[in-house]
Amino acid sequence: MTERPPAPAPLQVPVADSHCHLDIATSDDDRLEVDDALARSAAVGVPRIVQIGCDLPGARWAVETAQRYADIVAGVALHPNEAPRLAEVGTLDTALAEIDALAGDDAVRAVGETGMDFFRTGPAGRAVQEESFRAHIEMADKHGKALVIHDRDSHDDVLRILEDAGPPERVVFHCFSGDTAMAEHCVERGWWLSFAGTVTFKNAQSLRDALAVTPLDRVLVETDAPFLTPTPYRGRTNASYLVPHTVRAMAEVLGVGEDTLGTAIAANTEAAFDPW
């Protein structure tokens, strides 16, 4: 087992990890139990987590976990890469119906992550991805929940579908990966951009440029744990307690103090997902 990174200095203004996968581990040895994960993150000023379920087992687990822990809320969806797989075996409609039912639970604050992914799914699966994405947009609007977007190598199509379907009131771009023009487009529409450890990567200047044009009232922070561990621990297992590294990198890009940014992130998280 690779040793986990050490805990960073605590944030003075608490923030939430707006996108985490506590149910996913890079290996059995790397799994953090929920109590441990919450204790570690709370100790560094990250007391709350949005737990995202990406398939039916994950969505069920997210809801059950959020029902048990006051500091966790859930997001439920079929990941874009999950939709073609389910369509192949003829169960996509049934799965979408269950996600719709789960989305009505009070512990669920988001429908997502949903969207389009052209990195892992080729052209043959894109129509099914779009069908699933549109169904999730409708669910978010129906239940009054935030829509959490997964957008990988698919910026133009995600924006096209959102505009055509009619976005719900609250939209969050998880692990924002667009350029400055896309950031400005999203901000104009009142959507939130959530930045992950990728913003700290040496080769991610275009992402830092996008962050630089994003107003303080539109930014969120996330881990996407156990993935996308921020510098200087890139390549090791991520967890919510490492959020301070990303917050501090974001504050430097934005030219504000980390307390100022933390205050904004805290307010934005409640605006996007409601208080908890």
Side-chain angles (χ1 to χ4, degrees):
M1 173 181 173
T2 302
E3 185 179 356
R4 283 189 171 274
L11 297 170
Q12 297 305 303
V13 176
V15 302
D17 179 355
S18 71
H19 195 109
C20 185
H21 302 285
L22 289 167
D23 57 321
I24 299 175
T26 53
S27 73
D28 289 342
D29 288 337
D30 272 342
R31 185 178 298 280
L32 273 180
E33 297 299 330
V34 175
D35 290 310
D36 190 12
L38 284 172
R40 287 175 185 244
S41 62
V44 297
V46 188
R48 298 178 297 161
I49 294 171
V50 182
Q51 166 64 23
I52 300 293
C54 290
D55 55 19
L56 285 181
R60 294 169 191 145
W61 190 91
V63 175
E64 292 166 2
T65 302
Q67 289 170 341
R68 293 200 309 271
Y69 292 89
D71 294 324
I72 296 176
V73 295
V76 297
L78 304 177
H79 190 281
N81 293 324
E82 181 75 355
R85 186 186 71 79
L86 293 173
E88 284 182 6
V89 296
T91 59
L92 178 59
D93 289 345
T94 301
L96 286 169
E98 182 170 348
I99 294 295
D100 188 17
L102 289 169
D105 193 284
D106 289 342
V108 175
R109 304 298 182 84
V111 173
E113 60 192 273
T114 180
M116 304 291 285
D117 188 318
F118 296 167
F119 181 76
R120 296 197 182 280
T121 296
R126 292 178 185 176
V128 172
Q129 281 196 349
E130 179 168 340
E131 175 190 348
S132 177
F133 185 21
R134 287 179 179 272
H136 284 87
I137 293 170
E138 185 176 343
M139 286 179 216
D141 189 50
K142 169 185 172 182
H143 294 289
K145 307 292 172 78
L147 181 73
V148 174
I149 303 293
H150 172 102
D151 163 29
R152 189 165 189 186
D153 296 346
S154 55
H155 306 321
D156 291 345
D157 284 84
V158 164
L159 295 176
R160 170 184 61 81
I161 294 163
L162 267 178
E163 300 287 4
D164 183 65
E169 182 178 351
R170 293 175 288 179
V171 175
V172 174
F173 273 77
H174 138 66
C175 191
F176 183 76
S177 59
D179 59 12
T180 55
M182 183 173 176
E184 290 168 342
H185 178 97
C186 292
V187 166
E188 286 174 1
R189 283 151 180 77
W191 301 337
W192 288 280
L193 310 184
S194 184
F195 291 88
T198 44
V199 78
T200 73
F201 294 175
K202 184 177 181 180
N203 62 350
Q205 186 57 47
S206 62
L207 187 54
R208 288 186 285 276
D209 292 342
L211 170 60
V213 301
T214 304
L216 283 179
D217 66 350
R218 293 294 108 191
V219 295
L220 299 171
V221 68
E222 66 173 86
T223 56
D224 199 26
F227 314 110
L228 306 182
T229 310
T231 303
Y233 302 108
R234 184 178 183 181
R236 294 166 71 173
T237 302
N238 202 4
S240 298
Y241 76 91
L242 297 174
V243 160
H245 289 294
T246 305
V247 170
R248 289 174 179 131
M250 292 170 63
E252 184 175 349
V253 170
L254 289 164
V256 299
E258 68 179 69
D259 290 359
T260 298
L261 178 56
T263 299
I265 289 172
N268 297 341
T269 305
E270 292 201 347
F273 300 106
D274 292 327
W276 80 94

